Amino acid sequence: MDSLAFYGVPVASRLLLGTAQYPSPSILKDAIERSQADILTVSLRRESTGGSGGREFWKLISGMGCKILPNTAGCHSAKEAITTAEMARDVFDTDWIKLEVIGNADTLQPDVFGLVEAARELSAQGFKVFPYTTDDVIVGEKLLSVGCEVLMPWGAPIGSGKGLNNRFALKAMRAHFPTVPLVIDAGLGVPSHAADAMELGFDAVLLNTAVAKAGDPVMMAEGFALAVKAGRLAYRAGAIEARDMAVPSTPVFGQPFV
Amino acid sequence: MKIAVIGAGVMGLVTAHHCALRGGTVTVYERRAEAGRGCSWYAGGMLAAWCEMESAEPLIGELGFESLAYWKTHFSHVVEKGTLVIAPPRDLPDLKRFAARTTAHQWIKRDEIAALEPDLADRFETALFFDREAHLDPRETLAALKTKLIDEFGVSFVMDHAVTAEDCDADYVFDCRGFEARDALHDLRGVKGEMLILRTKEVSLSRPVRLLHPRIPVYIVPRADHHFMVGATMIESGDRTRFSARSMVELLNAAYAVHPAFGEAEIIEMGTDVRPAFADNLPRIRRDGKILRLNGLYRHGYLGAPALARRAAEIVFEQKSFPEVER
């Protein structure tokens, strides 16, 4: 039984999907279905679900039968992120929050100092915090110490599509936190990047741009779903070690040790 | 045949025109005191069927090509100078993606950019040029269309008067109310847009310029008398009143990135309204007895309305059917 749970809630899919930037709500809906994602991230700021706002959009998202993980995308300080999280709790009726505290509007790097501060405050208020962080293990430890039970390190800068930028740090992070659910949160471009992350033992991946901005987002959603499954199977199966020389599968005469 | 059109935005006026062209006796009803003051008023007026294919379905291209021909045939206001799509050097991947998703463009370099738009000389290394595209001034065009309908076709206008489709005394009623038609079209949603009109004599542009940027794709459309329309945000919301500070920052930032002289421009107008859209962002004709509801043009009002109106008129006058939009 290969199960995954966030804050004690079982999750059916290891692919988490963002809901921004799709060509239309219909295409978003089809992409979600094809991805078989079980958790959707939703940005509170832009889809303005309050009042008469994006009610139609919110209806579509909530009608998909997935768990909603509201995010604080675009927040630049702990205070702003906390306010957004509190609004999100009211609007989406969930205590889950994907916490983003952006340090620089241009590079979209997480401000890890503000992140820890906001995570402490939100955890104290009873939120289940999913922090978008770097691959720094000490920051990860601080986040766990203030109450986080999941870490979401970046693969590469948001929207860059570069894949796993620092495999060394990510492998170290996996080794350092063997039992904490780790989700690669940003920077993936193609399904092989997702398979790569899963093969390294990450528990799940979160995507948005790579699917939303693909030529055919629905087809790309399926591509990622298959890659995540393939990568997870490879991790569980246990991969062979790479080596520099060929390994003949039958003996070579005259070379007893080859 | 007696025709009633409800709504005097771009959808209503081109529908009135297509019906009048086929010999209909047309009355246009508008709840506001003047025509074209809904979201038609705030449009960019870009006849950019090829650029739109970056994210739109093929149907939009089909409607867009036909509508471009309509505007060129019936109005002298159409400016046929193409569209320039630019990106800062670091966002070259976005330009490549745009090129891969579209056709009928050419890659151009510094010198050619300078030849097309001298004020953008040395500001951008590469650009995409869509030479078959055109643009018009929506406000000027709708005023001219209304005059044409009255003078050439004897169309009646009943302004400042809200009517319901059911109460209209006509053989056929075309409901072209846009976002207001939610009472009859329950799956219609709003996509809010915010736009600015700036004025500066320090920059001249001959054609719409689109700036690609991961967060804020923005276009600038030159208008008469040193005016520039800068638009537009896309927000899932039915709110048509508030212009947020964030949107202002993003629009101005993008304009400044195209040319720093926009930083000194005068802000003439801040506009906001709601685009009516269905879930697939494609327009539809919904028929309910003698009522035809034309709606869901999303961000493709001037690009889609003439072609949609032609289909609606032919449904009524020639008993044709158009499954691609009758959904």
Side-chain angles (χ1 to χ4, degrees):
Chain A
M1 182 61 188
D2 181 36
S3 63
L4 173 66
F6 295 134
Y7 290 98
V9 178
V11 177
S13 166
R14 292 174 183 270
L15 175 57
L16 287 67
L17 202 61
T19 56
Q21 299 184 304
Y22 288 78
S24 72
S26 298
I27 291 174
L28 166 62
K29 182 170 178 286
D30 293 348
I32 293 169
E33 276 169 10
R34 199 84 85 85
S35 75
Q36 297 182 312
D38 187 27
I39 296 177
L40 304 176
T41 62
V42 181
S43 164
L44 180 71
R45 301 183 70 84
R46 271 313 184 203
E47 278 113 31
S48 32
T49 47
S52 72
R55 211 178 281 150
E56 295 302 320
F57 188 79
W58 167 231
K59 253 194 267 174
L60 180 133
I61 302 276
S62 57
M64 296 299 301
C66 297
K67 300 173 185 70
I68 302 297
L69 176 59
N71 70 30
T72 63
C75 290
H76 286 78
S77 69
K79 189 173 170 228
E80 200 186 353
I82 290 165
T83 308
T84 305
E86 288 165 349
M87 283 164 63
R89 176 162 60 183
D90 293 342
V91 172
F92 298 103
D93 194 26
T94 175
D95 53 8
W96 282 14
I97 188 77
K98 186 191 150 195
L99 183 62
E100 287 185 25
V101 183
I102 298 301
N104 183 299
D106 206 31
T107 65
L108 300 178
Q109 280 175 270
D111 167 4
V112 295
F113 304 95
L115 183 68
V116 173
E117 188 190 329
R120 177 184 288 119
E121 169 66 26
L122 290 169
S123 298
Q125 287 189 29
F127 281 96
K128 311 281 194 293
V129 178
F130 294 63
Y132 163 60
T133 182
T134 64
D135 46 31
D136 188 293
V137 293
I138 305 305
V139 173
E141 283 184 352
K142 299 272 184 210
L143 288 166
L144 297 179
S145 76
V146 299
C148 297
E149 294 178 19
V150 177
L151 297 175
M152 304 183 90
W154 62 359
I158 293 177
S160 68
K162 281 207 167 304
L164 305 184
N165 222 0
N166 189 346
R167 294 170 55 85
F168 171 78
L170 289 169
K171 281 162 94 168
M173 192 173 196
R174 178 72 282 180
H176 195 79
F177 301 112
T179 57
V180 178
L182 299 181
V183 182
I184 293 290
D185 185 353
L188 303 188
V190 287
S192 55
H193 295 155
D196 190 13
M198 298 306 292
E199 285 166 15
L200 291 185
F202 284 86
D203 295 283
V205 299
L206 194 161
L207 304 165
N208 192 340
T209 311
V211 171
K213 291 289 201 181
D216 183 337
V218 182
M219 200 183 285
M220 191 59 93
E222 183 177 358
F224 269 104
L226 293 171
V228 166
K229 279 182 195 152
R232 180 65 188 171
L233 286 173
Y235 175 71
R236 292 178 64 210
I240 61 164
E241 289 300 320
R243 52 197 292 165
D244 292 335
M245 297 295 287
V247 181
S249 48
T250 51
V252 177
F253 288 107
Q255 291 182 304
F257 301 111
V258 172
Chain B
M1 200 183 295
K2 208 169 164 187
I3 301 293
V5 175
I6 309 177
V10 64
M11 190 70 254
L13 294 186
V14 296
T15 301
H17 189 203
H18 272 294
C19 290
L21 283 168
R22 286 163 180 76
T25 306
V26 184
T27 305
V28 179
Y29 298 91
E30 167 58 48
R31 69 188 173 100
R32 292 184 169 95
E34 287 173 89
R37 295 301 174 106
C39 67
S40 300
W41 190 249
Y42 302 104
M46 291 184 294
L47 304 173
W50 288 272
C51 278
E52 284 301 309
M53 297 319 294
E54 182 256 332
S55 59
E57 308 268 340
L59 174 65
I60 296 301
E62 201 182 306
L63 298 176
F65 305 146
E66 178 183 333
S67 297
L68 174 60
Y70 166 90
W71 293 116
K72 277 159 60 173
T73 306
H74 297 286
F75 296 91
S76 56
H77 308 88
V78 179
V79 184
E80 295 177 72
K81 292 200 169 165
T83 303
L84 198 61
V85 182
I86 55 178
R90 55 172 267 179
D91 294 324
L92 187 62
D94 290 321
L95 206 55
K96 286 183 177 165
R97 178 184 177 276
F98 200 94
R101 304 272 296 137
T102 54
T103 57
H105 53 69
Q106 57 200 96
W107 282 99
I108 60 172
K109 296 282 178 200
R110 291 172 82 95
D111 294 353
E112 296 154 294
I113 296 171
L116 287 169
E117 297 291 356
D119 283 352
L120 299 185
D122 301 326
R123 295 197 50 74
F124 297 93
E125 288 295 325
T126 49
L128 289 169
F129 182 44
F130 291 76
D131 66 348
R132 292 153 81 177
E133 297 191 337
H135 68 282
L136 49 74
D137 180 334
R139 299 173 183 185
E140 192 178 85
T141 304
L142 287 195
L145 179 51
K146 188 183 172 200
T147 304
K148 183 200 261 304
L149 290 172
I150 294 170
D151 295 351
E152 294 177 29
F153 297 94
V155 170
S156 312
F157 279 81
V158 182
M159 307 304 289
D160 220 351
H161 186 69
V163 290
T164 61
E166 290 74 13
D167 293 343
C168 285
D169 172 27
D171 298 314
Y172 288 97
V173 180
F174 292 87
D175 177 353
C176 304
R177 291 177 295 150
F179 193 53
E180 286 303 302
R182 271 171 305 159
D183 52 6
L185 300 167
H186 300 296
D187 50 345
L188 204 60
R189 77 186 209 283
V191 182
K192 176 176 165 174
E194 294 145 306
M195 57 79 87
L196 294 171
I197 294 184
L198 305 180
R199 183 171 63 194
T200 176
K201 290 186 177 179
E202 291 173 42
V203 195
S204 287
L205 296 174
S206 303
R207 55 185 58 73
V209 173
R210 290 184 182 224
L211 176 74
L212 302 185
H213 182 289
R215 273 178 301 130
I216 40 169
V218 165
Y219 53 82
I220 301 177
V221 189
R223 300 244 172 107
D225 194 24
H226 310 287
H227 286 59
F228 297 87
M229 185 272 191
V230 183
T233 54
M234 304 269 283
I235 301 169
E236 291 287 341
S237 169
D239 165 66
R240 63 204 318 171
T241 55
R242 285 182 307 168
F243 196 124
S244 79
R246 170 180 289 250
S247 297
M248 180 65 116
V249 167
E250 288 185 348
L251 292 176
L252 289 179
N253 226 339
Y256 188 82
V258 171
H259 200 294
F262 282 115
E264 301 299 320
E266 182 185 355
I267 297 174
I268 300 291
E269 184 183 325
M270 296 163 57
T272 172
D273 211 310
V274 169
R275 308 170 182 91
F278 293 104
D280 56 7
N281 292 340
L282 294 174
R284 283 169 172 66
I285 299 172
R286 289 254 176 88
R287 184 147 180 197
D288 176 9
K290 66 167 195 172
I291 304 167
L292 284 83
R293 302 189 199 275
L294 284 59
N295 218 313
L297 283 154
Y298 181 52
R299 54 182 273 166
H300 305 123
Y302 291 81
L303 192 66
L308 194 68
R310 194 264 298 166
R311 285 164 170 75
E314 289 182 2
I315 289 170
V316 165
F317 285 87
E318 295 162 34
Q319 288 77 51
K320 289 190 181 171
S321 69
F322 299 93
E324 74 275 21
V325 292
E326 291 181 73
R327 286 174 299 126

